[in-house]
Amino acid sequence: MRWRPRAAPTRAKERANISFFIFIMFFAVFGVIILTELLLLERPPVNSARSRYSDALQGWEGRTETGADGVDPPPPAHSALDAVWQPVAGTRFKFFVYSAYVEGRTTDAVRVIAATKTRGADAVVCRLWLLDNRTLTVKARVKPIRENWNLKYSASYVLCSLRNTGVRAQETAGAVVAVLAEAVAHRAPTNLLPVLDTLPKPGIEENLHVCVKPFHYSYARDSWLVEWFELNRLLGASHFYMYNESLSTQVACVLDRYRREGLVTLLQWKLPLVSKVEIRTEGQFAAFNDCLYRSMSSAGWLLVIDVDEVVLPRRERTLPALLTALRSSYNPPSRAPSAFLFRNAFFYLRWKDDAEAPAPLLTARKTRRWAAPHAIKNRSKYALRPTDAVELGNHFIWELAPGASAVGVPTDRALLHHYRMACEFGGMQCIMVPSTIDRTAHRWVEELMQRVTAEKQQLARTCPA
């Protein structure tokens, strides 16, 4: 019988070899898939819009964005707008921006005046279009302005950090900035703000400018407003910053006349938040701080008061003379304060007119006031060097620059005359509070009467009755 080779074991061995090969190939392919996934996670494809911007937004060290490196941000959607409340799209909560300023005193940044949620504000970033055609995306910090009365929304700062970008703050003057929600930073911006310069100009040391909170409830005291303007001009004020939420037709005409004379910067103020419900009165703390930075390049002194208040010096004729004298009393001069707070005294308009009033002016007729003025920081108002302040409040300064200080002014040097319509805590306050006669305002009455009369004659020809 002839021998034949056994085929079955050979076929089994071949099948085993094939199975082993398939097993090895399976793990090889699986390994390639896993490695590919890992590489894709580390380096997103440049054709993906989301991945292009997530790469630019990681690290927040201020990456310069150009088409050459694959990052080409959307161009501005419209021209930059100053002093207009503009929305930040894509946020969970309401978020609006108003103005932007160079901040180069203690850090290099762009400071944006904003209004948003007091606590837990949305994360945002800043995109800058510089004058040399560079585009820069930087991290931003939202900082609520402290005087917010714990309401849901607050006047806030957005600080666009220039740290590690190689860009100095002063290089951003004249640039355009947009505030973007971090979650949708790859989209075109819904706001564009020109970055305004804050570098003081030469020769402004004695310039006194005045800040006033937003007009609202269709403010209509036009006759008094003329007297208030002319008295402050006699006291040395050369410019006024005002914010218009709503005005009567007559007051609007008065302000327009002063604006055309170069005395008033009148800014629109239509903040889309409910006053006293969502945010403190008309977002007034955003206005105070916008005024601070807006005046920084041109004002040596800034006086923050309301339109029913006047600061009257007791010895000097003007406020710049008073402030200069107060600072010169410090030795060495480097120790001189940067801000002076004036104590408040109410002159209630419901009290009887002064029988000895030399003119029909309100400040001449209303000379009875509280005998004891309020304490400093209780209804006080203030004058300050703008370059030495960081954050303003209503009755005092929340934050000064390092090394700067604020002091109260003795009442024998100056007093805040507060011509208030309503008595505090009801009508009984008018009867019960100890009062005294104060005719300090009569020092200016003759010249003031001449100026008010002339101004009202001019207004009678230009403003409707």
Side-chain angles (χ1 to χ4, degrees):
M1 184 174 176
R2 194 174 176 181
W3 179 82
R4 294 180 181 177
R6 297 176 63 182
T10 301
R11 286 194 296 273
K13 186 175 181 180
E14 289 175 353
R15 284 196 299 271
N17 290 338
I18 292 171
S19 298
F20 180 73
F21 177 76
I22 293 171
F23 179 79
I24 294 299
M25 289 298 296
F26 171 78
F27 277 101
V29 172
F30 182 75
V32 169
I33 293 172
I34 294 297
L35 183 61
T36 302
E37 290 293 325
L38 290 173
L39 290 173
L40 287 174
L41 283 174
E42 291 180 1
R43 187 176 182 82
V46 295
N47 291 328
S48 165
R50 184 176 182 83
S51 62
R52 280 192 299 149
Y53 289 96
S54 64
D55 178 54
L57 302 179
Q58 285 177 3
W60 298 118
E61 297 301 334
R63 174 172 175 176
T64 300
E65 300 174 12
T66 65
D69 64 1
V71 181
D72 194 9
H78 54 76
S79 60
L81 299 173
D82 175 45
V84 176
W85 284 108
Q86 301 178 66
V88 178
T91 57
R92 294 172 301 153
F93 304 103
K94 297 175 185 177
F95 204 133
F96 302 97
V97 293
Y98 186 75
S99 53
Y101 299 96
V102 175
E103 177 57 271
R105 291 170 297 177
T106 59
T107 184
D108 284 313
V110 170
R111 186 182 293 269
V112 177
I113 304 296
T116 189
K117 193 148 185 302
T118 305
R119 296 176 183 82
D122 292 87
V124 292
V125 300
C126 299
R127 180 158 297 135
L128 283 155
W129 288 267
L130 302 175
L131 293 179
D132 60 4
N133 295 322
R134 283 182 295 168
T135 301
L136 198 68
T137 300
V138 299
K139 65 180 179 180
R141 179 167 66 95
V142 180
K143 181 181 181 297
I145 291 172
R146 279 164 275 203
E147 206 160 337
N148 51 57
W149 289 49
N150 291 318
L151 293 175
K152 182 177 181 180
Y153 289 92
S154 173
S156 302
Y157 290 128
V158 176
L159 290 168
C160 309
S161 176
L162 299 173
R163 182 184 177 186
N164 298 331
T165 64
V167 176
R168 301 303 303 271
Q170 202 55 43
E171 295 178 62
T172 65
V176 173
V177 64
V179 178
L180 309 165
E182 184 177 305
V184 292
H186 57 286
R187 296 183 185 174
T190 55
N191 57 83
L192 290 172
L193 305 164
V195 181
L196 305 183
D197 200 357
T198 54
L199 187 67
K201 299 171 185 174
I204 67 167
E205 290 75 14
E206 300 306 313
N207 289 358
L208 175 67
H209 293 183
V210 177
C211 283
V212 177
K213 70 182 181 183
F215 289 108
H216 56 285
Y217 298 149
S218 297
Y219 182 84
R221 295 181 64 193
D222 54 288
S223 181
W224 158 247
L225 196 59
V226 173
E227 181 178 340
W228 180 88
F229 265 116
E230 295 307 320
L231 180 52
N232 276 290
R233 293 177 70 185
L234 281 174
L235 292 167
S238 59
H239 198 80
F240 301 82
Y241 300 88
M242 296 179 158
Y243 300 82
N244 174 22
E245 195 281 328
S246 59
L247 295 169
S248 71
T249 302
Q250 193 74 6
V251 168
C253 188
V254 170
L255 294 180
D256 186 61
R257 172 171 168 75
Y258 283 113
R259 182 191 61 79
R260 285 185 279 107
E261 291 179 2
L263 294 168
V264 171
T265 296
L266 183 61
L267 304 163
Q268 292 303 307
W269 194 260
K270 301 294 183 182
L271 176 59
L273 292 169
V274 182
S275 178
K276 298 185 179 180
V277 176
E278 293 183 309
I279 195 167
R280 182 61 180 161
T281 312
E282 309 304 332
Q284 64 182 21
F285 302 107
F288 290 145
N289 286 279
D290 175 78
C291 184
L292 168 65
Y293 289 91
R294 191 173 294 275
S295 67
M296 203 168 282
S297 65
S298 57
W301 288 103
L302 191 64
L303 178 66
V304 179
I305 55 174
D306 289 343
V307 288
D308 58 356
E309 298 170 335
V310 182
V311 177
L312 292 183
R314 292 321 201 226
R315 303 177 192 174
E316 293 79 8
R317 291 286 294 180
T318 69
L319 289 171
L322 167 69
L323 296 167
T324 299
L326 291 172
R327 279 179 61 87
S328 64
S329 65
Y330 287 82
N331 192 18
S334 59
R335 295 181 57 190
S338 298
F340 294 97
L341 283 70
F342 304 99
R343 294 175 66 180
N344 172 85
F346 286 126
F347 289 68
Y348 290 134
L349 301 189
R350 291 177 60 178
W351 280 336
K352 291 182 179 180
D353 287 356
D354 190 337
E356 299 180 19
L361 299 167
L362 185 144
T363 51
R365 294 185 292 108
K366 299 301 179 182
T367 57
R368 182 170 293 277
R369 66 164 172 85
W370 276 34
H374 289 79
I376 289 296
K377 297 189 177 182
N378 181 7
R379 295 192 174 276
S380 56
K381 292 299 172 66
Y382 52 87
L384 73 152
R385 291 290 195 191
T387 53
D388 290 339
V390 176
E391 182 180 327
L392 302 186
N394 192 5
H395 301 297
F396 56 89
I397 301 110
W398 276 106
E399 184 180 349
L400 288 162
S405 62
V407 298
V409 177
T411 55
D412 65 341
R413 298 301 303 272
L415 189 67
L416 176 69
H417 290 215
H418 193 161
Y419 297 96
R420 192 173 181 87
M421 188 74 70
C423 297
E424 296 294 282
F425 311 114
M428 289 301 293
Q429 189 74 31
C430 281
I431 301 172
M432 302 299 293
V433 65
S435 63
T436 187
I437 297 297
D438 183 341
R439 296 191 174 101
T440 304
H442 288 186
R443 296 175 59 203
W444 294 269
V445 69
E446 184 176 348
E447 189 175 359
L448 178 60
M449 188 65 199
Q450 293 174 359
R451 297 180 69 146
V452 169
T453 300
E455 196 63 33
K456 287 185 175 180
Q457 289 173 350
Q458 291 290 334
L459 289 167
R461 289 193 285 268
T462 58
C463 292

